[in-house]
Amino acid sequence: MDKKFQRRLLPTKMKQKFGFTLGADWLLSLFLVSMLISPPLGRSAPRLQQEKTPESELIIGRSAPFSGLSAQTAKDYQDGILAWFSEVNRNGGIHKRKLRLVSIDDNYKPARTLANTHQLIHREKAIALIGFFGTPNSKLVIPLIEKVGIPFVAPVTGARDILNPYRPMVFNLRASYQAEIDKIINHLVRDARHRIAIFHVTDAYGIDGLRSAKIALARHNLKPVLVSSLPRNSIDTYQVAQKIVKAKANAVLSINTFATSASLSRNLSSMGSRAQLMNLSPVGIEGLQDALPGGRADGIGISQVFPFPWNRRVPVIAQYQEMMQRQKDNAHYGYTSLEGFLAARWLTAALEKAGPNPSREKLAEAFRKLGNLDLGGFKLHLKPGSNQASQLVELTFLKSQRWGP
């Protein structure tokens, strides 16, 4: 073959790179092979198997405080969600579509929660949002939720402003703070503890709790002997404890995070107070026990809105424990991870009902059509004009030992 003709067929760079030239018959063969393995014009090459298309997944979004003092509580809730999602995915997903949880840290700051919500809705294209923490955080994002029309599932709050008025896109799993506080006040009054002090965080959660506490006390013709407050996560409770002792309170309702409540407990104990300390469910048993080691949490009361996580006689609890162990070898049980697990189960029940091509609107309608739903000893009910699925409230009292893993 003429060298000039050869150079015309083969680019100089290829010749330099490989150090040899190809004859015309080889060039023709390569051309034919390339036609066989290349996609036709107008069609893209197939994706690699490990790459996922949007049609193969259902994206669930979550903003929560994965940093800061509430980080462990947020992670415990996440463990519960993932325990159930992993089981669903192992069994082929929802209508053959896998679930993927996209979580973003908000450090418990409402402004960051709002920014994260925009990202989850518009960039991640989430079909639903789940397990947002905090009353002020949830309250700030609800206008966006309503405008976009995306299901807002199981926020970790029972505040009046979240539950009322009725919001079609908010699907609340837990009982209200009013129901929790009613249970606590009724118990204290029956126990002849009428001198009740209210200590609350200075945010929407605390303000809602204070309002609910005054309503609950009024039913017994009582008023708080003291109302005191501090910013979120503050541990500067010495002066508050002094005021409680001076007011001769024999019970304290603390509407705070575990760090603040633990600090108050230590200060009251050092001052010789025997006031019964009660907390709402968002305080987190695990965090409170960790902050008060060596039995110092003994006797502290906490209202709970979910079944006892160590009672395997309840079918859904046995399933929860099994799924948690399958997810992690050293899994720990608790109310927070159970809440995440139950929220995930509720969501997937609605996704199943929404059909193989769900939209945000179809999913919201599916939630409403679930009606009465028994998850296995934990019963949910959504009725027209109500977005609250459970009314369960129980009281627990801590002891020096833990209940289990």
Side-chain angles (χ1 to χ4, degrees), residues 63 104 111-126 129 132 140-141 143-145 147-148 360:
S63 178
I104 311 175
R112 287 181 61 175
T113 304
L114 181 59
N116 292 349
T117 305
H118 275 285
Q119 179 178 336
L120 292 166
I121 290 172
H122 300 297
R123 186 186 304 174
E124 300 295 342
K125 308 296 184 184
L129 304 174
F132 279 43
L140 185 61
V141 303
L144 174 61
I145 300 302
K147 179 181 178 181
V148 173
R360 293 166 178 171

Side-chain angles (χ1 to χ4, degrees), residues 108 133-137 139 156-162 174 176-178 180-181 184 198-213 230 232-233 253-258 261 278-284 302-303:
Y108 232 133
F133 268 53
T135 301
N137 308 63
K139 189 175 179 181
V156 186
T157 175
R160 184 190 310 266
D161 291 342
I162 307 302
R174 53 173 36 241
S176 68
Y177 291 149
Q178 185 69 67
E180 290 191 58
I181 291 171
I184 289 172
I198 311 298
F199 174 43
H200 67 92
V201 61
T202 55
D203 64 10
Y205 166 46
I207 299 302
D208 185 89
L210 174 62
R211 180 173 53 186
S212 297
L230 282 176
R232 177 176 289 275
N233 292 324
L253 173 59
S254 178
I255 308 164
N256 286 283
T257 59
F258 72 83
S261 192
M278 301 295 296
N279 297 269
L280 300 188
S281 59
V283 74
I302 304 175
S303 57

